[in-house]
Amino acid sequence: MMFRFRSVNSCLRRLLHGGAVTRDQVLEQLQVCSAENHVFDVVGKNKAKLTVDHVNYAVRLLWQFQKERPEMLRTVDLIKSHQQFLTLRVLAENKIDLMDDFMLIDMLYAFLRLNMEPHDSLIQQLVSEAWLRIDRFPMASLSKFAVCLNDQHLQHSPLMGRITSIVNERLPTIDDARILTALMISVSSLVSPQLRDALISRADHLLHTTDPSNYNIPRRMVQFLRNIKYIHRPLLERCNEIFLRNIPRLDAENLSIILGLYQSLQFNNCDFRLAAKQKLTELIDSSIDPFSFTKLFVALAPMATPEIRERLENTALLLADELNAQQALAVAEALEEIQSRNLSLMNKIASVIQRNLHLYKSVEVARITQALFLLQYQNPELFATLRNILIKFLEHSVFPYEVTMLTRVLSMLPCPRLEEAVVSRVDAVVEQCNLSELNTISFAVAKWVRNDQSYRHNTHSKYVRLLQTLNRCGHERLQTADRLDLLLDELKYVSGEWFEEMLLDETMITLQRMIDQINWTNVSELAFFLTRINHLSPPLMDRIASVTVEHIHKIHYSATYATLLPFSVLNYDPPQVDELYDACIKRFTPHLSSFDPHLLVLLAYSLAVADHFPEELIRAIFSIDFLGKLDSQLETLPDALNMRTRLRLMELNRAVCLECPEYQVPWFHERYCQQLHRKGNGSVSPVQQQIHKMLGEVLGGINCVQMAVVTPYFYTIDFECKLDKHLKPLSYIEPSTLQISDRGKVHWDTSSLENIRDELPTGAQRVAVDFLDSKYFCKNTHHMKGEALMRKRHLEILGYRVVQVRQFYSG
């Protein structure tokens, strides 16, 4: 028994001793490291002992330390230059075969986050090995690998194509929203419409199971929509709800990112903008470092009050010298957006930009040039330097979008003669350009033609050849187009003389050729395009109407505005006109409280133009609560949209008062209209003065006709006369409410605008003579637009007999 006990005791001692020997002391040392230098000490002392697990742990630890710091306090460059980092890099490259799938991708991810160059042999070998294993990767590793490829600008590579295919095959198995959203962003440039819809559907499903405090998930979903330039309102609205819940937790950086994404998508949400504005205002005092302040300035300045904006500009002036290249660019663009006139701040920002010019990429130099030019910043030396840099970038560019962008910005800058190299580069890529890019180049060429004095002496110039190429490429692209959705995407921002003169007819032929592709997903976009180009096309509009009526339940309620717009603006009634308006009104009415206030005003106005006044809509708009919310929203909107919305609210108020007195909506725009007239003070053209004289001769005297008469509710009539019951002219006793100077300038007597009308004798009538120029008619026909008809309706309600004369003159 004693012998057996000693044997067991000896065995236990050997086992315990053996356990101590197999303890991983290097790993234990790494696990207690609290800083980069501790990691490097362990690596330096244990080079010969380092296994693939040690290397992986050390590299991931180095990135973890960096990630926990604010960006401005990171020391990646110091880490990369450390001798022991080179040791880790060499060991990693030598041990790739020993890495499992998770470790391989984690290592690649960490090294890229530590700013290893994509052309480094380690990165290339890790990517190559990952490609060999890609089909067996779990979705978590595949997602992280896709992010790594994006970091290396390989989003269009065959490898990313393979990842896109795997995502398509395994999409139903992805249950982690974080994995899904990372993959969505990574493959966004390669998704088909079918995969796009499937990804959105899966994202929407997973969003309902996501922790509502995790705002990064919906932010990445919105980023995906931005990347593919696709507005899916149901998903956007669900993401927006999560953002609103998390406003207290969002910092200036995240608010700035979300607002930027919304702006790119042209998605407005009043509640979020107001909440973001309030939160950003609260963050002003704590945003005192260049990084956080820049984010705050970019997000808040465009929607801040003048007082807050001045405070932000003063702080920016104090911090300007501390800004890096990217921060200076961001502030310059924000200054352009708010049209700042703070010359001291502009000079400071321009100085920071000038000393960092060598750091900027081509797109960034173009953005800088555009911002400073639109700010009307005066610095010929800086603009000359920027122009030279832009030309150098252009000479070496092979990407159509980049050549187009650089060409557009170059055309802004004054230049007596254009370098042949610029024209040659444009000519080299023009056949690869889409319609939007061709249109942009046409604007640039038109500017160069106007500015180049030698052009008039050389009919066979480089410009003529380039314009001929643009025309040919534009026609070929339209004639070969076969997908309506892609064509509408290219046409979204196309406008101007070149398009209207050279491509508009061919565009309409192409759209009619694709008429069978019009469906509920694209009706609103096509309708908006027809409105924008002011082109009446009964076949297309009939198709839009029939699709809308049939599929109204699938169309988002807010899209009814764009869908109805051409019918009201262009004054066209399709065969199903009553069904169309009834269907759209029934679709949006349950959602009135969900509309952005300004959009609801625009919708109601477009309906009023078409003589539709849904009572529930009108009462919602002219409620105290709604008008208060609208005022708050208008403070956050760009000036142009703000003024447009205010004007439409006035016109809607006028239309309701005149056409629906039973709604008992008060007229509350008297002072607003007086201010408009005071600011307008329009000039009277020689043609109008000549017509005034001729009408006076016909009617028996100049005192029998008045010019530029202001009616109740502030319509301005070109000419007014009064006829008695025998249709004989009556003379005016009261003097006109305006005087015309020798230069044709109108001077209003605004104090008498409310009481300008004298009483008419029994049986007499007022006659309004309006000379309607081309803006009141569709471009491709003399068909009168909706606003002209609404104006006639209103003048008739006011007691006028209206004579509308089609007169196309410029005055």
Side-chain angles (χ1 to χ4, degrees), residues 309 338 637-644:
R309 194 174 287 178
I338 64 176
L637 295 179
D639 289 343
L641 184 55
N642 182 322
M643 290 188 289
R644 178 172 169 240

Side-chain angles (χ1 to χ4, degrees), residues 184-250:
M184 289 169 70
I185 292 172
S186 299
V187 305
S188 57
S189 59
L190 298 179
V191 296
S192 64
Q194 293 77 18
L195 180 55
R196 173 200 68 198
D197 294 342
L199 286 169
I200 290 173
S201 176
R202 192 66 184 166
D204 186 55
H205 171 73
L206 293 182
L207 198 58
H208 289 92
T209 65
T210 302
D211 179 1
S213 66
N214 186 349
Y215 53 80
N216 285 317
I217 297 298
R219 191 190 72 183
R220 284 197 286 265
M221 291 178 182
V222 177
Q223 186 177 340
F224 168 73
L225 295 175
R226 190 278 312 269
N227 288 359
I228 63 173
K229 300 176 184 177
Y230 185 72
I231 299 178
H232 189 276
R233 291 192 179 274
L235 181 59
L236 279 170
E237 288 170 356
R238 289 190 185 91
C239 293
N240 189 73
E241 290 172 6
I242 296 175
F243 297 148
L244 280 170
R245 287 196 214 118
N246 284 281
I247 285 287
R249 301 175 58 243
L250 290 171

Side-chain angles (χ1 to χ4, degrees), residues 55-92:
V55 174
N56 179 48
Y57 194 93
V59 173
R60 290 173 59 194
L61 200 56
L62 291 174
W63 165 237
Q64 187 63 35
F65 289 145
Q66 293 295 307
K67 186 170 71 170
E68 290 169 355
R69 296 175 183 162
E71 191 170 337
M72 59 183 297
L73 298 179
R74 291 178 183 176
T75 56
V76 171
D77 289 338
L78 288 175
I79 289 176
K80 285 174 61 181
S81 62
H82 198 285
Q83 179 64 34
Q84 302 311 326
F85 183 80
L86 178 60
T87 300
L88 289 171
R89 185 215 159 282
V90 171
L91 287 170

Side-chain angles (χ1 to χ4, degrees), residues 506-567:
E506 188 68 41
T507 299
M508 299 312 297
I509 292 171
T510 303
L511 289 172
Q512 291 187 32
R513 171 166 57 84
M514 299 179 175
I515 197 167
D516 290 336
Q517 294 185 40
I518 299 174
N519 57 49
W520 69 270
T521 65
N522 56 35
V523 282
S524 61
E525 193 171 353
L526 176 58
F528 190 77
F529 173 73
L530 294 175
T531 309
R532 186 169 61 80
I533 64 172
N534 194 16
H535 194 100
L536 182 64
S537 174
L540 291 175
M541 294 173 71
D542 289 348
R543 172 69 176 170
I544 289 171
S546 64
V547 169
T548 301
V549 170
E550 183 179 354
H551 299 286
I552 189 64
H553 60 287
K554 298 178 183 176
I555 297 172
H556 194 268
Y557 62 85
S558 65
T560 53
Y561 167 63
T563 305
L564 289 174
L565 208 52
F567 299 97

Side-chain angles (χ1 to χ4, degrees), residues 10-25:
S10 175
C11 182
L12 285 171
R13 282 200 303 270
R14 286 198 305 273
L15 284 171
L16 290 172
H17 180 67
V21 170
T22 57
R23 283 174 54 198
D24 193 334
Q25 295 178 344

Side-chain angles (χ1 to χ4, degrees), residues 139 156-157 167 211 494 675 688 694 732 736 771 784 802:
M139 295 310 294
H156 295 101
S157 65
V167 170
D211 179 1
V494 168
Q675 291 172 347
Q688 289 171 303
M694 291 169 60
Y732 286 85
S736 173
F771 286 81
M784 193 180 293
V802 181

